[in-house]
Amino acid sequence: MAKGIPTHPRVTKRLKFALKKEKGLDYVVMPLEGLWWADDLTSFNRDEKESWKWTMMIMLPPEAAKQIVQSAIASVQDKKGLPGLEGIRFETFREGRCAQTLHVGPFSAEGPTIQRVHDYISSRSALRGKHHEIYLSDIRKAAPEKWKTIIRQPME
């Protein structure tokens, strides 16, 4: 079980500052994660991005109560008036049993890696849930051929 919110960098920074000030907690911000899904899960293997739906999130420490998160969102909205902040929410996420692997390279080359994970699951069980990616690299700083992404898929 992980607490998380779809993220905006300014909200994440404000929340980190608030937890340090209010609870004395200094922590490392976890990597960005994405949940991806489509009516047909095999669309990921065919790179049919137009049919994909998504949620972005960042795991939060247990001390990040809903009220502190909502306060951080409101603070950023009051000061910056950024679009899209109304879509940020605080949720608990439970995924269960999964198969995962590390993909190294650009997102556009993930198809064969995703297919290998799906094949592995299909040989033992069945796919379920939303495709999950954990972005380990800062894509602003690393070359695309060095991007590291955990490819994860829930399974029965």
Side-chain angles (χ1 to χ4, degrees), residues 30-58:
M30 297 299 287
L32 181 67
E33 300 184 39
L35 297 177
W36 298 87
W37 69 99
D39 295 332
D40 175 7
L41 284 178
T42 63
S43 70
F44 292 106
N45 303 337
R46 296 186 305 273
D47 200 31
E48 297 173 350
K49 294 178 182 169
E50 67 281 352
S51 67
W52 301 354
K53 300 169 189 166
W54 54 271
T55 296
M56 292 293 125
M57 59 189 180
I58 289 185

Side-chain angles (χ1 to χ4, degrees), residues 60-98:
L60 301 174
E63 295 82 359
K66 187 173 188 172
Q67 181 180 8
I68 294 173
V69 173
Q70 290 173 332
S71 178
I73 295 167
S75 175
V76 171
Q77 184 62 36
D78 289 345
K79 292 178 184 176
K80 302 293 181 181
L82 300 170
L85 293 181
E86 68 280 351
I88 296 177
R89 64 193 183 276
F90 180 86
E91 290 185 1
T92 299
F93 176 69
R94 294 173 194 213
E95 193 164 42
R97 187 174 178 217
C98 299

